[in-house]
């Protein structure tokens, strides 16, 4: 019977459904594995990136389930967000209908690939129940002081009428619509992620050797802890007359270079800069240029060429009292330190570039024979008064002590990470559960009134936030005094939803209606054992999820410090050297592959074409090859005869022992791959090698054992065909943890090198128990033409390695 993927796959997907085969057990005495792949946005169709992510996760889930673990392997949808609103405008369809229609279609696609997701724990972040508990978290965090409101400059997209995170601004443009982003001062809600900055940094140590080093480094750099000196710089008398300030605060991590300051650089948002502009104390052209910089995002400013303007004012050096010119510069961040930096061009790359461009002074204060700028933190101080000849590190400490002793400054710790702005001016998101009352001010909604759901009778036009115009929804009563009030119309950043979904999945679905987390369930399942997703989420999503875990722990909802014990970041799927995208016309439709070859072929190709962490280049020939291998496996397995055949290793021929060895080598490799390396391509190759070796054998007992093992190994990768064949041959009794038989690895013979006067001349194969004399005789016969008519001076035998004959 020829291999028919569509019939086999339909049959087994129905069987698995009927038996609830993939649902986690409620027996918490069992060993557990929580395998989670990052959930998709319901864009309408799955793509090959999804197929790769979920095939990797599914292979791991199936492996652990098969060897006796209680496995939780859920799926859901990150379903709020701007694309639904864009679709609503384009197709004149409600965002909710667009979203849930897409979810239904994508679920069908995902399950057609045989992914072993729990069907009882599927959720979407736009579900009312999810919204209810998310709003509860918001209120609890607000009450704890972790959420506050403030007016601040934000990235604003005029087209989408919404605030964007820095990471959503790409080359000065909105990541969604491509329009220019401007800076706009707006009120908003902010989460104090900075309160956890130190713990977020410190706990990266717990993830070493479990998360990719690249991801740990990216998070470490994003948090950006720096210890240094904060001190006051006083303006000279003339400058005080020009601006409304007497001094400014400066932060530096390089107190050892304090004598090398040649200018001070301020951010474009610094109060002094604003004051000079407001009172027209600068040239009109300079004011215009500064305003252009103010309208650029911080990322854009820093990626641009260094640019700045002298402000016509001076500060006095805190130790020497020299006058230092003050500039405004685009490379200074307003929210790092105090938005003012001391510039030391001789010992800082960025300061050097700026000083060189504007012909500013260089003051070398660290002795070095190298070309400037010398940025290493080594060497002796020069031109630094009483600190001369001190080593850099020692000088740094001594100078900070000097500042503290004379009340000039103090040692401080700064973080690069900023508080998380979560307000979004759009409709399709979780409503922020706050009420604005003329008498009470800003008030939390009552927990018992949750969820606050979106009104459905809205029209999405793309102009502003329709919630602002929906008076019936917006007008409400104050939850504190009962008087007329208005609802907050901002909705939450979608990262808020995706930061805790892993914990909701871990809670028993039977309790979902009544509580956010079932304590017994989450304590058993968390933390996630294996988390799989793209490297593009290395900073924001993973950082926010780590933050949420710690906050929910402190609020009493969860226990652990970290959400994800192990992280696997899969590479992108490319075609013709580029990431697949509709605009490039290089998209491969998973549905078409399933229709033509079957889901198992798609899965096999995805795992065989490249190791998970590497980029995968699409290859039609390799896809055909994957299909041919499954056909060969199917045909070969159908030749295996039923019956109770007894296998005796010692009675096998040399070829049969070799084939059996290859089968058990694949079994050994499976343990290494599923538990450590995830190099599925090497495991598949080992199975192919074993099947090729079996082609030389006709031993019925050996064939039975071999396919008992090979179908076990391949089941997580190509489950449908493995279930079909295992059911026919073994009633699926082979789906369990298999024993590795060491007798297979014991060698009957060994190969020895034979050399003459140190030069390799041949190889011989001898039985393990062959005596040394016999080995020497066999060796001499094998090199007869090199020793003929010669005198053997010495016969050397190095056990199990070589024979060397010395002749003359």
């Amino acid at each position: 019977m020829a291999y028919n993927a569509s019939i086999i796959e339909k049959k087994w997907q129905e069987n698995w459904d009927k038996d609830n085969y993939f649902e986690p057990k409620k027996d918490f005495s069992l060993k557990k594995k929580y395998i989670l792949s990052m959930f998709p946005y319901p864009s309408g169709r799955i793509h090959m990136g999804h197929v790769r992510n979920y095939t990797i996760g599914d292979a791991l889930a199936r492996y652990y389930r098969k060897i006796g673990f209680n496995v939780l392997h859920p799926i859901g949808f990150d379903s709020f967000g701007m694309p639904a609103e864009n679709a609503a405008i384009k197709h004149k369809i409600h965002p909710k209908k667009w979203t849930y229609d897409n979810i239904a279609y994508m679920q069908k696609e995902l399950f057609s690939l045989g992914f072993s997701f729990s069907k009882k724990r599927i959720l979407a972040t736009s579900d009312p129940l999810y919204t209810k508990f998310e709003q509860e978290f918001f209120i609890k965090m607000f009450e704890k002081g972790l959420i506050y409101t403030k007016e601040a400059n934000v990235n604003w997209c005029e087209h989408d009428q919404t605030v964007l995170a820095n990471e959503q601004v790409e080359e000065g443009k909105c990541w969604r619509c491509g329009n220019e982003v401007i800076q706009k001062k707006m009120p908003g809600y902010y989460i104090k992620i900075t309160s956890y900055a130190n713990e977020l940094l410190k706990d990266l140590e717990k993830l070493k050797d479990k998360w990719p080093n690249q991801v740990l480094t990216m998070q470490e750099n994003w948090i950006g802890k720096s210890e240094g000196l904060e001190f006051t710089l006083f303006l000279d008398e003339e400058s005080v007359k020009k601006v409304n300030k007497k001094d400014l605060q400066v932060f530096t991590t390089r107190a050892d270079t304090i004598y090398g300051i040649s200018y001070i650089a301020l951010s474009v948002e610094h109060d002094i800069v604003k004051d000079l502009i407001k009172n027209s104390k600068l040239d009109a052209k300079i004011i215009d240029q500064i305003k252009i910089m103010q309208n650029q995002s911080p990322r854009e400013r820093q990626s641009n060429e260094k640019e700045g303007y002298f402000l016509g004012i001076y500060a006095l050096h805190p130790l020497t009292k020299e006058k230092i010119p003050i500039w405004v510069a685009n490379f200074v961040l307003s929210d790092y330190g105090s938005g003012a930096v001391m510039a030391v061009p001789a010992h800082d790359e960025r300061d050097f570039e700026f000083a060189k461009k504007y012909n500013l002074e260089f003051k070398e204060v660290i002795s070095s024979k190298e070309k400037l700028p010398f940025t290493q933190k080594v060497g002796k101080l020069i031109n630094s008064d009483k600190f001369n000849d001190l080593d850099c590190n020692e000088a740094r400490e001594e100078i900070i002590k000097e500042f503290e002793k004379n009340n000039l400054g103090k040692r401080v710790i700064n973080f690069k990470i900023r508080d998380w702005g979560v307000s979004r001016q759009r409709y399709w998101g979780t409503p922020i559960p706050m009420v604005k009352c003329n008498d009470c001010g800003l008030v939390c909604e009552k927990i018992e009134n949750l969820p606050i759901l979106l009104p459905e009778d809205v029209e999405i036009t793309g102009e502003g936030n329709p919630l602002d115009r929906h008076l019936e929804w917006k007008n409400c009563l104050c939850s504190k005094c009962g008087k007329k009030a208005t609802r907050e119309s901002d909705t939450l950043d979608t990262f808020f939803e995706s930061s805790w979904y892993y914990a909701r999945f871990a809670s028993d679905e039977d309790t979902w209606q009544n509580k956010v987390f079932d304590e017994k369930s989450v304590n058993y399942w968390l933390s996630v054992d294996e988390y799989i997703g793209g490297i593009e989420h290395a900073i924001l999503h993973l950082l926010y999820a780590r933050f949420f875990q710690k906050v929910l722990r402190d609020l009493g909802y969860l226990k652990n410090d970290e959400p994800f014990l192990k992280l696997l970041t899969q590479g992108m799927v490319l075609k013709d050297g580029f990431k697949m995208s509709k605009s490039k016309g290089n998209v491969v439709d998973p549905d078409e592959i399933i229709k033509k070859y079957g889901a198992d072929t798609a899965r096999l190709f995805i795992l065989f074409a490249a190791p998970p962490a590497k980029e995968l280049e699409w290859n039609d020939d390799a896809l055909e090859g994957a299909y041919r291998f499954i056909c060969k496996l199917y045909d070969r397995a159908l030749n295996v005869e039923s019956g109770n055949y007894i296998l005796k290793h010692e009675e096998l021929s040399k070829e049969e022992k070799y084939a059996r060895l290859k089968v058990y080598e694949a079994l050994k490799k499976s343990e290494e791959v599923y538990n450590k390396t995830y190099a599925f391509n090497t495991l598949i190759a080992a199975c192919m090698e074993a099947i090729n070796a079996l082609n030389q054998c006709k031993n019925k007992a050996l064939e039975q054992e071999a396919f008992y093992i090979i179908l076990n190994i391949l089941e997580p990768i190509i489950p449908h065909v493995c279930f079909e064949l295992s059911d026919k041959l073994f009633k699926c009794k082979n789906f369990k943890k298999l024993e590795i038989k060491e007798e297979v690895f014991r060698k009957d013979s060994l190969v020895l090198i034979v050399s003459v006067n140190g030069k390799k001349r041949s190889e011989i194969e001898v039985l393990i128990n062959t005596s040394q004399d016999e080995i020497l005789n066999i060796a001499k016969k094998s090199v007869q033409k090199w020793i003929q008519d010669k005198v053997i001076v010495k016969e050397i035998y190095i056990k199990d390695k070589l024979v060397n004959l010395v002749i003359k």
Side-chain angles (χ1 to χ4, degrees), residues 399-586:
I399 289 170
I400 291 174
K401 285 178 186 175
E402 177 84 2
F403 270 76
E404 290 183 325
K405 184 177 78 175
N406 295 308
N407 293 319
L408 297 172
K410 60 182 178 180
R411 184 191 305 273
V412 295
I413 291 173
N414 269 331
F415 289 92
K416 188 173 147 191
I417 191 173
R418 304 270 64 89
D419 281 344
W420 174 13
V422 293
S423 296
R424 297 293 180 268
Q425 293 66 41
R426 61 173 176 238
Y427 167 75
W428 191 240
T430 301
I432 292 177
M434 303 296 289
V435 169
K436 297 169 184 175
C437 173
N438 286 334
D439 292 341
C440 305
L442 193 62
V443 181
C444 295
E445 185 56 84
K446 290 179 179 177
I447 297 284
E448 56 265 32
N449 291 342
L450 303 182
I452 305 302
L453 298 176
L454 294 167
E456 294 192 21
D457 54 337
V458 294
E459 185 184 357
I460 312 294
T461 63
E463 295 178 8
N465 182 354
L467 294 177
D468 270 331
R469 301 190 294 271
H470 198 297
L471 298 182
E472 186 181 342
W473 179 86
K474 194 174 178 182
N475 293 331
C476 64
L477 298 178
C478 174
S479 54
K480 191 173 181 181
C481 69
K483 293 179 182 176
K484 288 183 179 180
T486 56
R487 239 177 245 304
E488 175 58 70
S489 60
D490 283 1
T491 54
L492 287 169
D493 178 9
T494 55
F495 278 115
F496 201 97
E497 280 102 51
S498 60
S499 295
W500 63 279
Y501 78 107
Y502 64 90
R504 179 65 165 170
F505 278 142
S507 193
D508 184 343
E509 70 277 5
D510 290 342
T511 69
W512 278 10
Q513 289 290 335
N514 302 318
K515 49 187 173 181
V516 60
F517 303 132
D518 172 57
E519 186 179 6
K520 193 176 177 184
S521 302
V522 293
N523 289 347
Y524 171 71
W525 287 113
L526 292 177
S527 299
V528 175
D529 295 286
E530 302 275 357
Y531 196 39
I532 303 113
I535 191 76
E536 66 271 19
H537 300 294
I539 297 176
L540 290 189
H541 164 61
L542 289 170
L543 190 66
Y544 292 152
R546 294 181 61 227
F547 165 70
F548 250 78
Q549 175 72 31
K550 296 173 191 306
V551 170
L552 293 177
R553 173 203 64 195
D554 292 347
L555 289 173
Y557 289 99
L558 301 174
K559 281 194 172 180
N560 302 330
D561 296 331
E562 287 293 327
F564 315 118
L565 295 180
K566 289 178 79 175
L567 174 71
L568 182 119
T569 52
Q570 92 277 2
M572 289 190 296
V573 181
L574 310 177
K575 191 176 184 197
D576 306 322
F578 297 97
K579 182 180 179 182
M580 288 187 184
S581 70
K582 288 179 183 175
S583 62
K584 289 192 171 66
N586 66 346

Side-chain angles (χ1 to χ4, degrees), residues 55-56 82 96 185 193 222 339 369 443 505 534 543 546 581 587 599 602 624 628 644 715 719 801:
T55 301
I56 294 166
M82 185 62 75
K96 181 176 181 179
K185 195 149 198 170
I193 193 170
W222 189 261
K369 294 177 182 176
V443 181
F505 278 142
L543 190 66
R546 294 181 61 227
S581 70
V587 172
E624 287 274 1
R628 285 196 301 273
N644 296 320
E715 182 272 331
K801 289 187 178 179

Side-chain angles (χ1 to χ4, degrees), residues 663-697:
V663 170
Y664 274 92
E665 281 179 348
L667 181 58
K668 251 188 179 177
K669 183 169 280 294
S670 72
E671 293 187 358
E672 174 193 318
V673 167
Y674 286 113
N675 288 289
K676 191 175 180 183
T677 68
Y678 311 118
F680 298 103
N681 55 321
T682 64
L683 178 58
I684 295 164
C687 290
M688 291 175 171
E689 200 176 333
I691 290 170
N692 288 337
L694 284 167
N695 288 337
Q696 312 303 315
C697 307

Side-chain angles (χ1 to χ4, degrees), residues 25-286:
K25 298 178 177 67
K26 297 189 180 183
D27 181 355
F28 295 163
S29 66
L30 297 170
K31 294 179 296 181
K32 69 93 181 179
K33 280 288 177 182
Y34 183 1
I35 313 290
L36 181 64
S37 292
M38 294 180 186
F39 61 175
Y41 181 80
S43 55
R45 300 183 78 85
I46 65 169
H47 53 69
M48 293 314 298
H50 290 133
V51 175
R52 192 177 197 199
N53 184 344
Y54 302 130
T55 301
I56 294 166
D58 193 58
L60 293 172
R62 285 178 174 274
Y63 169 76
Y64 284 111
R65 195 181 287 116
K66 183 182 62 187
I67 64 170
F69 280 79
N70 190 9
V71 174
L72 173 60
H73 185 45
I75 190 66
F77 295 89
D78 192 9
S79 51
F80 270 138
M82 185 62 75
E85 294 197 29
N86 292 342
I89 298 164
K90 184 178 178 180
H91 304 296
K92 299 195 182 306
I93 186 173
H94 196 283
K96 181 176 181 179
K97 177 171 174 48
W98 183 84
T99 299
Y100 283 91
D101 283 353
N102 286 352
I103 286 172
Y105 189 83
M106 287 177 75
Q107 272 186 237
K108 184 181 171 186
E109 284 188 301
L110 290 168
F111 285 106
S112 73
L113 280 152
F115 295 141
S116 62
F117 298 126
S118 163
K119 286 193 171 179
K120 293 182 178 178
R121 297 200 185 187
I122 297 174
L123 60 79
T125 57
S126 52
D127 292 343
L129 260 183
Y130 200 86
T131 293
K132 173 184 175 180
F133 293 117
E134 180 167 329
Q135 289 172 339
E136 179 182 316
F137 292 154
F138 186 97
I139 291 168
K140 297 287 186 185
M141 290 164 77
F142 188 88
E143 290 172 345
K144 192 177 171 67
L146 282 172
I147 295 179
Y148 62 96
T149 58
K150 71 172 181 179
E151 266 207 354
N153 277 323
V154 293
N155 303 310
W156 175 259
C157 175
E158 194 64 35
H159 178 271
D160 289 338
Q161 291 285 295
T162 190
V163 172
L164 300 171
N166 287 340
E167 296 69 36
Q168 295 166 331
V169 180
E170 297 174 348
E171 297 180 357
K173 293 180 171 60
C174 173
W175 71 329
R176 292 294 188 202
C177 69
N179 274 35
E180 290 288 333
V181 171
I182 62 170
Q183 296 295 294
K184 185 175 181 180
K185 195 149 198 170
M186 289 188 67
Y189 293 83
Y190 289 79
I191 300 179
K192 285 187 182 177
I193 193 170
T194 50
S195 299
Y196 285 80
N198 209 44
E199 189 182 356
L200 286 166
L201 185 65
K202 176 176 63 72
D203 282 357
L204 289 175
E205 284 292 323
K206 297 176 182 177
L207 303 174
K208 279 192 175 172
D209 302 322
K210 296 173 184 175
W211 283 31
N213 286 334
Q214 181 187 3
V215 175
L216 296 176
T217 301
M218 290 166 80
Q219 292 228 346
E220 189 176 327
N221 291 341
W222 189 261
I223 296 166
K225 182 178 181 178
S226 56
E227 186 174 315
L229 172 67
E230 186 178 84
F231 61 95
T232 302
L233 272 178
F234 291 95
L235 304 186
D236 73 336
E237 284 185 24
E238 289 300 313
S239 301
V240 170
K241 292 175 185 174
K242 200 170 183 180
V243 295
N244 251 341
K245 283 177 77 75
K246 293 182 180 179
D247 57 41
L248 66 146
Q249 295 296 309
V250 177
F251 171 77
T252 179
T253 60
R254 294 295 307 273
D256 51 316
T257 63
I258 195 85
Y259 285 89
I261 305 174
S262 64
Y263 64 97
I264 300 297
L266 306 181
S267 74
V268 293
E269 289 89 10
H270 198 281
D271 287 345
I272 286 177
V273 177
K274 288 180 182 176
D275 184 78
L276 290 169
I277 291 173
K278 182 182 176 183
N279 295 308
S280 302
K281 297 288 180 71
L282 297 173
D283 183 88
K285 289 182 180 178
I286 291 176

Side-chain angles (χ1 to χ4, degrees), residues 8-25:
I8 290 171
E9 290 172 3
K10 185 174 185 290
K11 168 188 170 181
W12 284 103
Q13 286 168 18
E14 287 175 354
N15 284 353
W16 295 329
D17 268 356
K18 184 178 67 180
D19 296 338
N20 286 325
Y21 195 71
F22 305 132
E23 296 306 325
K25 298 178 177 67

Side-chain angles (χ1 to χ4, degrees), residues 280-405:
S280 302
K281 297 288 180 71
L282 297 173
D283 183 88
K285 289 182 180 178
I286 291 176
I287 290 174
D288 288 342
Q289 291 303 310
I290 292 173
K291 284 183 176 178
I292 289 172
M293 283 193 275
Q294 286 174 338
N295 246 346
Q296 295 170 336
S297 70
R299 178 178 286 182
E300 191 180 359
R301 289 179 214 166
Q302 292 198 300
S303 64
N304 289 345
E305 184 184 339
K306 305 291 177 287
E307 187 181 353
Y309 300 93
F310 176 50
L311 296 175
I313 56 175
Y314 295 86
L316 300 174
H317 192 286
L319 299 178
T320 68
K321 304 307 176 187
E322 291 177 79
K323 286 172 68 172
I324 307 168
I326 300 177
W327 287 63
V328 61
N330 63 348
F331 62 80
V332 183
L333 295 173
S334 61
D335 52 3
Y336 181 69
S338 56
V341 299
M342 65 177 221
V344 184
H347 304 291
D348 182 275
E349 189 75 47
R350 181 193 59 189
D351 299 347
F352 178 86
E353 284 179 37
F354 192 88
K356 191 175 179 182
K357 179 175 180 177
Y358 294 106
N359 297 315
L360 299 173
E361 189 180 1
F362 291 78
K363 295 181 179 180
E364 191 172 1
V365 291
I366 299 173
S367 178
S368 168
K369 294 177 182 176
E370 294 185 29
K371 185 180 174 184
L372 295 181
F374 177 68
T375 60
Q376 295 178 45
K377 298 178 182 178
V378 293
K380 305 284 185 184
L381 261 61
I382 57 173
N383 303 320
S384 299
D385 198 24
K386 66 181 180 181
F387 303 102
N388 283 342
D389 297 323
L390 288 179
D391 174 77
C392 274
N393 293 321
E394 186 184 355
R396 194 176 306 120
E397 291 301 311
E398 292 302 317
I399 289 170
I400 291 174
K401 285 178 186 175
E402 177 84 2
F403 270 76
E404 290 183 325
K405 184 177 78 175

Side-chain angles (χ1 to χ4, degrees), residues 597-631:
Y597 298 107
D600 282 342
T601 295
R603 294 170 64 117
L604 182 68
F605 166 76
I606 282 287
L607 294 181
F608 188 46
K614 302 290 184 186
E615 289 179 338
L616 184 157
E617 178 69 39
W618 188 263
N619 184 319
D620 290 327
D621 291 339
L623 184 68
E624 287 274 1
Y627 178 70
R628 285 196 301 273
F629 170 75
I630 294 175
C631 290

